[in-house]
Amino acid sequence: MSKISKQHYDTIILGAGAAGLMCAGFAQAKGGTVLVIDHAKRAGDKIRISGGGRCNFTNIYAGPNNFISANKHFAKSALARYTQWDFIELVAKHRIAYHEKTLGQLFCDGKATQIIDMLLAEAGTAEITLETTLDDISKTDSKFSLILSGKAVTADNIVVATGGKSIPKMGATGIGYQIAKQFDVPVTDIRAGLVPLTFGPHDLEWITPLAGTALDGRLTANDTAFDEALLFTHRGISGPAVLQVSNYWHEGDEVQVNLMPSTSIFDALRGERQSNGRRQMGTALATLFPKKLAVTLAEKLQLTGNLADQSDKALQELADKLHRFTLKPTGSEGYRTAEVTLGGVDTDALSSKTMQSKSVKGLYFIGEVVDVTGWLGGYNFQWAWSSAAACGRAI
Ligand code: FDA
């Protein structure tokens, strides 16, 4: 990686993560001088660990509806002008083998570092300097002045690609929000997203013994539902379905769990009653759910007797409860484990075509720092690629 070789750059990109590296490729292709700085030891550290080390780099179904933002229209333009198919083409050009795992999620066959190497190769003539701190940033009428690890440099354009606050251990600082505020660019409320949910002592009493138990369910928070795996943990609930609804859950909200979304529990129990009427209720539920969960449900719902003792009405009531099981999380695991940060730089203050601030010429925000957050499943990287392309092409 290079040192800072010049005193002036056309563009300085803050953050050598997914969005920053991608933007560097586009910006340098237009012939300008580009510097990318990062305080980390390595570029693209989140890419490296993403998708269990194989990077879920996009989703073939990615579209505006998979993103959360105060302005649901904002992401449309960038997503349409640099799509998942554009990124897939780039991956193919670099001969990176990939596969669809599930639900349109594309992963590398090999290591996630292939994506980092690809972005570094695409960054071409851009200088990338690591272990470099942003000590100061200010703007005169015509350009930005920065102090980077003690060295004074200037730039015509600044691209803030410093990501969100998720996983501080990996170098997330939230500095992008501070830069926005310094330049009077509004920032919405932010909170941890794609994150496990936690419970108070009363619920943990029955949840903790279930730690490690998983099942496919439908989780709903604030009218948005996801059919994926739910996992009980020592501190609450996790798994893909939980991470997905965490984006829609706010403190004080309930989460509805349909414990068997694709089958009628009433029909299943009624059939079981016909063939095995003498089965105890806990045992009957164990034909539908993991055993530990079946026992817990039988206890919680105070089910007594055997199947033959249950009227159709009683079975229907039980089935309804299991299709609409209600949980009330007390919080989330927070930024420590969250995959993303919800909220960010207010999209009303940015051009959706270029990501440039409407009030500060030459100041751009891309990637996770912007108030656009994707679902789990490759959507957040797609936003990083698309917003970076919009900005890099415009600079
Ligand atoms: P990103 O966080 O990638 O980059 C920001 C860069 O800025 C970092 O390199 C950081 O060091 C640097 N920086 C921060 N503060 C700085 C400062 N003060 N000075 C200098 N540099 C600074 N998404 C997805 O689509 N598919 C997936 O498989 C996964 N998997 C995944 C796993 C895990 C564990 C996490 C935490 C997250 C994911 N994600 C994901 C989400 C995805 O990683 C995330 O949305 C993108 O990396 C965001 O890209 P950005 O470039 O905006 O930020």
Side-chain angles (χ1 to χ4, degrees):
M1 300 289 160
S2 66
K3 294 254 175 288
I4 299 172
S5 70
K6 299 178 181 58
Q7 267 182 348
H8 180 82
Y9 291 86
D10 293 321
T11 301
I12 294 181
I13 300 173
L14 307 175
L21 291 176
M22 184 76 176
C23 184
F26 279 97
Q28 62 86 41
K30 294 186 72 186
T33 51
V34 179
L35 172 70
V36 188
I37 72 123
D38 202 298
H39 66 165
K41 278 202 176 87
R42 295 177 302 193
D45 258 350
K46 274 197 186 158
I47 301 174
R48 197 180 308 273
I49 58 147
S50 67
R54 291 191 192 278
C55 185
N56 175 196
F57 54 80
T58 193
N59 193 298
I60 56 177
Y61 303 120
N65 292 341
N66 307 114
F67 295 86
I68 301 155
S69 170
N71 175 359
K72 65 181 174 131
H73 303 295
F74 180 80
K76 282 182 182 168
S77 169
L79 290 171
R81 285 182 302 127
Y82 190 87
T83 68
Q84 58 271 43
W85 307 109
D86 293 316
F87 194 77
I88 291 165
E89 200 179 306
L90 184 64
V91 166
K93 186 181 110 187
H94 285 260
R95 298 179 185 284
I96 298 172
Y98 63 90
H99 60 279
E100 180 186 345
K101 197 169 170 189
T102 175
L103 303 169
Q105 301 166 7
L106 300 190
F107 286 75
C108 298
D109 288 355
K111 288 187 173 169
T113 45
Q114 291 177 294
I115 298 292
I116 302 174
D117 293 342
M118 177 189 84
L119 294 171
L120 291 172
E122 289 288 318
T125 60
E127 290 177 21
I128 299 171
T129 171
L130 302 172
E131 297 183 282
T132 302
T133 54
L134 172 67
D135 304 332
D136 193 46
I137 179 166
S138 59
K139 189 174 192 285
T140 60
D141 277 352
S142 59
K143 60 187 178 198
F144 293 89
S145 300
L146 298 89
I147 310 285
L148 302 174
S149 286
K151 186 175 161 66
V153 286
T154 55
D156 298 326
N157 302 303
I158 293 295
V159 181
V160 181
T162 44
K165 281 186 128 178
S166 330
I167 320 215
K169 253 192 183 168
M170 293 194 61
T173 59
I175 195 174
Y177 311 121
Q178 288 164 33
I179 297 170
K181 283 176 187 161
Q182 181 189 331
F183 287 100
D184 290 327
V185 175
V187 176
T188 69
D189 286 344
I190 57 167
R191 65 193 169 90
L194 297 181
V195 65
L197 297 174
T198 54
F199 290 81
H202 180 68
D203 279 321
L204 282 182
E205 241 174 68
W206 68 269
I207 289 175
T208 305
L210 291 175
T213 301
L215 79 159
D216 288 330
R218 174 176 301 149
L219 269 67
T220 308
N222 284 309
D223 298 329
T224 307
F226 292 92
D227 283 20
E228 283 189 69
L230 155 71
L231 172 72
F232 291 93
T233 71
H234 285 103
R235 292 166 55 87
I237 51 173
S238 186
V242 174
L243 302 192
Q244 298 280 31
V245 288
S246 73
N247 278 355
Y248 293 88
W249 177 87
H250 295 85
E251 231 167 284
D253 291 344
E254 289 178 339
V255 173
Q256 299 284 338
V257 185
N258 184 339
L259 290 165
M260 192 162 273
S262 50
T263 310
S264 158
I265 296 175
F266 173 66
D267 286 349
L269 288 175
R270 202 167 50 165
E272 191 66 15
R273 187 181 60 187
Q274 251 165 17
S275 48
N276 289 302
R278 295 176 69 181
R279 268 206 171 135
Q280 291 293 308
M281 290 308 290
T283 318
L285 288 184
T287 62
L288 305 177
F289 304 110
K291 190 164 176 232
K292 265 191 187 174
L293 177 63
V295 172
T296 303
L297 288 170
E299 267 173 32
K300 262 190 87 59
L301 301 173
Q302 297 175 335
L303 304 178
T304 51
N306 55 34
L307 273 170
D309 299 330
Q310 315 296 322
S311 64
D312 273 3
K313 186 166 172 269
L315 284 189
Q316 186 65 66
E317 277 171 13
L318 171 59
D320 289 348
K321 280 183 190 157
L322 297 173
H323 282 303
R324 274 199 299 274
F325 199 73
T326 300
L327 293 172
K328 189 151 187 196
T330 50
S332 82
E333 293 277 7
Y335 293 119
R336 191 178 59 84
T337 63
E339 284 202 12
V340 288
T341 303
L342 285 152
V345 173
D346 193 330
T347 55
D348 282 350
L350 303 178
S351 154
S352 62
K353 300 236 160 12
T354 65
M355 304 293 137
Q356 185 172 200
S357 154
K358 288 178 181 167
S359 56
V360 186
K361 189 170 174 289
L363 182 61
Y364 296 76
F365 293 88
I366 59 172
E368 196 178 319
V369 72
V370 179
D371 173 27
V372 174
T373 306
W375 290 0
L376 185 78
Y379 300 99
N380 284 294
F381 278 139
Q382 186 56 45
W383 171 246
W385 318 138
S386 296
S387 58
C391 168
R393 283 166 169 163
I395 274 174

